[in-house]
Amino acid sequence: MLTFWFIVVALMLSVYVILDGFDLGAGVIHHLAGKNERERAMILRAIGPVWDGNEVWLLAAGGALFCSFPILYAASFSGFYLPLMIVLWLLMLRAIGIELRGHLDNHLWRQFWDFVFTGSSAMLAIFFGAAIGNVIRGVPLNAEKVFFEPLWTNFLPYGRTGILDWYTVLTGVIALVALTVHGANYIALKTIGEVQGRARRVSKLGGWLFALLGLTGIVATMQIRPQLIDNYKTHLWGWTIPLVAIGGLAAVNYFRARQQDLAAFLASASAIAGMLGGAAFGLYPKVLPSTLGEQYDLTIWNTAAQSYGLRIGVVWWTIGMLLAMGYFSYLYYSFRGKVTLDSEAA
Amino acid sequence: MDNALLIHRLQFSFTITYHYLFPQLTMGLALLIVILKSLAMWKKDKQYDEAARFWAKIFGVNFVFGVITGIPMEFQFGTNWAKFSTFAGGVIGQTLAMEGMFAFFLESSFLGLFLYGEKRMSQWAHWLMGVMVFIGAWLSGFFIIATNAWMQHPVGYTTAADGSLHVNDFWALMLNPWVFWQYVHNMGGAVVTGAFAMTALGAYYTLTRKNIAHGQLFLRVGITAALAASLWQAFPSGDGQGRNIVRYQPATLAAMEGLYKTEANAPLVIIGQPNTAEQKLDNPIFIPGALGFLTYQRWGAEVKGLDAFPPDQRPDNIPLLYYSYHIMVGLGTIFIAITLIAAFLLWRGRLFHSRWMLWILMLSFPFPYIANTAGWMTAELGRQPWLVHGLLRTAHGASEHVSAGNGLFTLLGFMGMYTALSILYLFLMGREIEHGASHPIHQVEGERTLSPQLAPAIGD
């Protein structure tokens, strides 16, 4: 039951990153792929009908986290107070950047909101990556299962740690590059002509950077938390997960060369799923390690709600998930195909 | 109260008050838009479709602001109220997670289809999209109410060894006696907001003689909905809520009514001024015996005053609670009066030329926002000093390790951001209103002449 919910939360967070990740990536390449206002409007139309539903996965995952591991929810949200507030602001800015841009037929207005959209998307990608870095590195949880981290201390990932140190900045940059490639793949899938061409080029270049940084990230992670490899040693089937990540990244390159955009997009989605899944697999059964000592680690056992709630949760969660999958299938199917720029502006 | 606790309370109350300004209009309009689209199909009248399309644009902007101010709320249980989350997460985690799973996915998936997809589907299918958005919005309201209702009247839980609470009866949680009346009263309040907004805009268009046909349509639909909802708020839903308070939160009732001393044949005070130092109401205007009658349905009933409860179990800010409650009830009464008169004039075919009434309707639209806010303040201040009634005090629920400095920093940040958002919102709304409905409408004269399409509708 606890393992089930660990997988559920990890899965929902991964789905969030895969879906809203391409919205964020689209924001990052907004000015790279869209060289005039018409092209940038096309990029926004590509994500317009779906970005809000994609973002809901973050809230739904947060809700599932609160429901199944309330102590983890309370400890992590209050400990990560400042970066969470920053993320909230960035989410707000991203949302209005997208939604308000089309409301005024004014060049300055559009320029401003394009900038807000791009900036907030890039910063969100970095912060989400840094968040994963913090979880892997650990935080100063004490016996009361609480911590509070300042935004930075001395940028070293041990001792008195801060939200940002060289390791979490690295994971932040990796996330930025990964989501840029993923977003570029989505835009290439949904557009034609010059915009598509530029998106494909960003994906190609980004792919190499992703591979390089990814490798660096693995090396760094082995320094920071070598225990992550333990589960892989005892459960050899776990190696399939990072293989999916590596295979996904290679597949992006393969399909990119053949200009098969849908396959490239699914490949980058797999790469992201593999990375996140691999981290979760290595972390299990811890949910948030402590830098003050293993005895203070938060695990699935010392943070969970009681079994009754977890059991009935399986019932309504399954129903809700099936419905959600239905809604999303219908939504994406309805807006399938390339975006066009008609009078029904975003 | 120490600084940190006060700041956490201020931040939550500020962000939730601001946030709820948007969903109340969203939920009210969601219903009204479904009504407009249903009327369009039933009466085969394009004007109702145009009206629905116009209000959908307002709805879309409003929805986004609701989302962006809503995300901080889900986070804030954890960031600023970590001890509460640890204590009660085993119960409210259920309702909040269900809100995400059932309501948010539904409304956000179909909103895109509703706002952007009309051209690519049949009229019936587009109507269905509107219904799905409506259900999603109203489900969201349900799960939030279920959460708050549990905090007001905890049920269906068991206590773990570490003192935390966990659900042990799902249906008890969902069918908490507090839920039903709180939900229908809250949704009624949202319909009041939506209906008054529609009415006010209809009055504006009629007064300024632009988009007159749409203006009159907005007035007809708006006033009908506003009257029904305003009556609903008083009875049965307000009364139903009141009965819950009498039964389960008697100290709150005493505080709301300014009843400092237990009394048989307790009076209903229309207005007065709570005097905390002397524990009495100054200058009360009251109806003798009416409170006893309202609460227990018989004259001469004794109602417990605040003196019947230990001081540490009474709400900690009685004047604010008292005034919030009286503002809500006062406004609610005024809404009934306004909508009754307006409906009468509409029925007699005189509304569109009653400039005095159109002015009143146009200027009334901010007041449902105030009434809804006052109502929520009543609920939340009434629950004090408890966060979970009878089980966890507010003072024991805040995040201990988030300092006052950090809290103040983010509180000021929210205030600044929300000020900027307000300006943006008003600017955009103003433009939508000036832009009006997408099709040009005849400028028409005379009270009974409407555009040809609406001719069959005269007299309704």
Side-chain angles (χ1 to χ4, degrees):
Chain A
M1 188 51 53
L2 297 179
T3 305
F4 173 82
W5 281 103
F6 177 90
I7 295 172
V8 162
V9 176
L11 187 68
M12 290 179 81
L13 283 171
S14 302
V15 172
Y16 167 72
V17 175
I18 290 170
L19 291 179
D20 206 21
F22 72 69
D23 297 323
L24 295 177
V28 172
I29 72 166
H30 194 49
H31 292 87
L32 296 173
K35 289 300 183 189
N36 59 49
E37 290 195 350
R38 203 180 152 283
E39 289 178 350
R40 287 196 282 275
M42 274 173 71
I43 292 173
L44 280 165
R45 292 212 69 201
I47 65 170
V50 297
W51 78 266
D52 192 12
N54 292 345
E55 187 184 71
V56 169
W57 282 89
L58 180 64
L59 296 159
L65 174 69
F66 192 3
C67 183
S68 50
F69 301 107
I71 294 177
L72 173 62
Y73 168 84
S76 58
F77 276 51
S78 56
F80 289 131
Y81 187 79
L82 289 170
L84 271 177
M85 287 291 160
I86 293 173
V87 164
L88 281 177
W89 271 61
L90 293 172
L91 287 171
M92 285 194 254
L93 288 170
R94 193 266 300 250
I96 51 181
I98 294 174
E99 289 297 326
L100 302 192
R101 179 194 190 269
H103 275 80
L104 212 63
D105 194 6
N106 178 296
H107 169 68
L108 280 184
W109 173 270
R110 283 192 291 264
Q111 245 191 339
F112 178 74
W113 292 118
D114 280 338
F115 171 73
V116 169
F117 170 52
T118 300
S120 57
S121 300
M123 296 276 294
L124 276 168
I126 294 173
F127 267 89
F128 285 143
I132 298 173
N134 270 268
V135 171
I136 293 174
R137 181 205 64 205
V139 292
L141 283 157
N142 60 20
E144 291 164 44
K145 302 200 186 87
V146 285
F147 73 98
F148 188 89
E149 262 194 335
L151 272 177
W152 69 85
T153 52
N154 52 10
F155 280 92
L156 296 172
Y158 48 79
R160 271 186 65 242
T161 52
I163 302 293
L164 299 172
D165 58 38
W166 67 255
Y167 176 70
T168 61
V169 170
L170 174 62
T171 55
V173 173
I174 293 173
L176 176 63
V177 174
L179 294 183
T180 302
V181 170
H182 188 51
N185 287 343
Y186 181 76
I187 296 300
L189 178 59
K190 295 291 283 185
T191 57
I192 52 173
E194 301 239 0
V195 178
Q196 184 188 45
R198 292 187 207 113
R200 283 173 171 168
R201 280 198 295 281
V202 170
S203 170
K204 192 149 174 272
L205 287 169
W208 291 113
L209 194 54
F210 186 3
L212 182 65
L213 285 173
L215 199 59
T216 316
I218 294 173
V219 171
T221 303
M222 285 298 100
Q223 296 293 309
I224 297 297
R225 184 155 291 278
Q227 307 96 310
L228 272 186
I229 206 87
D230 292 347
N231 282 346
Y232 288 96
K233 289 191 202 156
T234 51
H235 298 91
L236 291 176
W237 61 265
W239 288 101
T240 54
I241 305 174
L243 276 177
V244 164
I246 296 169
L249 190 51
V252 173
N253 195 41
Y254 175 82
F255 290 118
R256 180 51 55 229
R258 280 154 190 71
Q259 305 207 325
Q260 285 173 295
D261 298 309
L262 177 59
F265 173 73
L266 293 173
S268 56
S270 312
I272 293 170
M275 282 200 312
L276 296 173
F281 182 84
L283 200 58
Y284 177 89
K286 294 196 232 283
V287 287
L288 189 60
S290 173
T291 51
L292 299 182
E294 275 205 339
Q295 67 272 36
Y296 302 129
D297 285 348
L298 290 184
T299 67
I300 56 175
W301 296 295
N302 65 10
T303 59
Q306 282 190 352
S307 66
Y308 175 87
L310 297 179
R311 278 185 289 113
I312 54 166
V314 175
V315 177
W316 56 252
W317 182 87
T318 306
I319 297 172
M321 190 51 58
L322 288 172
L323 285 170
M325 280 170 20
Y327 303 150
F328 272 70
S329 307
Y330 180 58
L331 176 65
Y332 277 88
Y333 177 74
S334 297
F335 287 102
R336 69 193 178 284
K338 304 287 182 184
V339 296
T340 55
L341 209 49
D342 56 32
S343 58
E344 203 180 274
Chain B
M1 198 190 321
D2 72 277
N3 277 333
L5 176 63
L6 177 62
I7 287 172
H8 292 307
R9 288 184 75 177
L10 278 173
Q11 182 169 290
F12 198 94
S13 53
F14 172 72
T15 51
I16 192 66
T17 300
Y18 189 82
H19 164 64
Y20 194 59
L21 297 175
F22 302 102
Q24 58 181 280
L25 185 64
T26 297
M27 295 191 296
L29 283 183
L31 175 62
L32 293 175
I33 289 173
V34 168
I35 289 175
L36 286 172
K37 291 194 71 67
S38 305
L39 286 170
M41 298 210 304
W42 179 45
K43 289 178 181 252
K44 297 193 183 1
D45 186 340
K46 258 180 12 134
Q47 291 238 336
Y48 284 97
D49 260 331
E50 287 163 9
R53 235 171 270 131
F54 168 78
W55 284 104
K57 284 196 230 149
I58 304 276
F59 182 90
V61 173
N62 200 70
F63 185 88
V64 172
F65 278 78
V67 167
I68 62 184
T69 56
I71 300 178
M73 300 326 303
E74 183 175 324
F75 281 36
Q76 235 178 119
F77 291 113
T79 55
N80 294 76
W81 295 93
K83 284 173 71 177
F84 165 64
S85 299
T86 308
F87 179 79
V91 183
I92 64 170
Q94 297 271 324
T95 45
L96 290 171
M98 284 193 281
E99 185 190 16
M101 288 303 299
F102 290 103
F104 290 158
F105 278 134
L106 179 55
E107 55 180 1
S108 60
S109 302
F110 288 95
L111 182 68
L113 286 160
F114 179 67
L115 291 178
Y116 303 130
E118 189 173 4
K119 290 198 179 119
R120 52 181 92 202
M121 58 181 77
S122 68
Q123 191 188 28
W124 186 91
H126 193 244
W127 172 87
L128 190 62
M129 300 295 107
V131 170
M132 299 298 259
V133 173
F134 159 69
I135 293 175
W138 282 51
L139 259 182
S140 184
F142 175 76
F143 286 114
I144 289 293
I145 296 294
T147 306
N148 190 274
W150 181 84
M151 290 165 69
Q152 303 278 359
H153 180 242
V155 292
Y157 66 92
T158 179
T159 310
D162 64 358
S164 63
L165 305 187
H166 299 263
V167 64
N168 72 350
D169 188 336
F170 179 76
W171 290 112
L173 176 63
M174 292 289 117
L175 302 177
N176 182 349
W178 197 281
V179 169
F180 176 74
W181 287 117
Q182 187 179 17
Y183 181 64
V184 298
H185 190 62
N186 184 73
M187 302 319 285
V191 177
V192 171
T193 298
F196 266 79
M198 187 175 284
T199 304
L201 194 56
Y204 172 67
Y205 283 157
T206 306
L207 278 168
T208 55
R209 300 180 163 278
K210 343 190 278 196
N211 292 337
I212 290 182
H214 282 189
Q216 292 178 347
L217 194 160
F218 296 166
L219 280 167
R220 281 201 304 278
V221 175
I223 288 170
T224 311
L227 176 60
S230 301
L231 288 169
W232 172 263
Q233 288 305 85
F235 191 86
S237 70
D239 179 61
Q241 264 275 65
R243 281 173 209 279
N244 275 334
I245 299 171
V246 167
R247 202 156 161 213
Y248 300 117
Q249 291 188 0
T252 304
L253 177 76
M256 278 161 64
E257 297 286 356
L259 194 69
Y260 282 91
K261 305 266 175 288
T262 303
E263 273 185 69
N265 217 31
L268 181 68
V269 176
I270 305 296
I271 197 67
Q273 294 117 32
N275 183 332
T276 310
E278 292 174 41
Q279 294 284 294
K280 70 185 197 35
L281 263 184
D282 292 338
N283 312 315
I285 302 171
F286 58 89
I287 304 172
L291 184 60
F293 182 75
L294 269 180
T295 51
Y296 296 110
Q297 294 83 54
R298 54 186 173 79
W299 297 105
E302 180 189 83
V303 181
K304 287 199 164 32
L306 283 169
D307 59 349
F309 307 97
D312 70 348
Q313 302 215 0
R314 303 176 196 164
D316 54 354
N317 192 333
I318 293 175
L320 188 56
L321 167 60
Y322 175 90
Y323 286 124
S324 301
Y325 173 61
H326 282 77
I327 287 172
M328 177 191 74
V329 175
L331 284 175
T333 311
I334 292 170
F335 296 156
I336 294 175
I338 291 177
T339 51
L340 264 174
I341 298 171
F344 175 77
L345 288 170
L346 185 65
W347 175 55
R348 304 294 282 170
R350 296 191 353 225
L351 177 67
F352 303 143
H353 278 261
S354 305
R355 290 186 75 81
W356 62 275
M357 181 41 111
L358 291 174
W359 268 98
I360 289 175
L361 292 173
M362 185 175 72
L363 294 178
S364 291
F365 94 90
F367 290 98
Y369 286 101
I370 298 173
N372 273 278
T373 303
W376 270 105
M377 285 175 67
T378 306
E380 298 301 271
L381 290 167
R383 193 191 57 233
Q384 304 303 325
W386 305 104
L387 197 41
V388 183
H389 197 267
L391 298 174
L392 181 74
R393 289 176 175 271
T394 305
H396 299 155
S399 298
E400 264 182 338
H401 294 258
V402 178
S403 66
N406 279 299
L408 185 59
F409 174 65
T410 55
L411 171 57
L412 291 173
F414 275 119
M415 288 175 151
M417 169 68 110
Y418 287 177
T419 306
L421 286 180
S422 304
I423 297 170
L424 259 177
Y425 178 81
L426 291 171
F427 172 65
L428 289 170
M429 283 299 172
R431 290 192 74 251
E432 286 299 332
I433 288 169
E434 285 309 304
H435 191 242
S438 56
H439 296 272
I441 304 295
H442 293 311
Q443 298 293 306
V444 290
E445 306 293 316
E447 73 189 271
R448 295 259 187 157
T449 54
L450 304 164
S451 73
Q453 293 151 302
L454 278 183
I458 294 175
D460 63 354

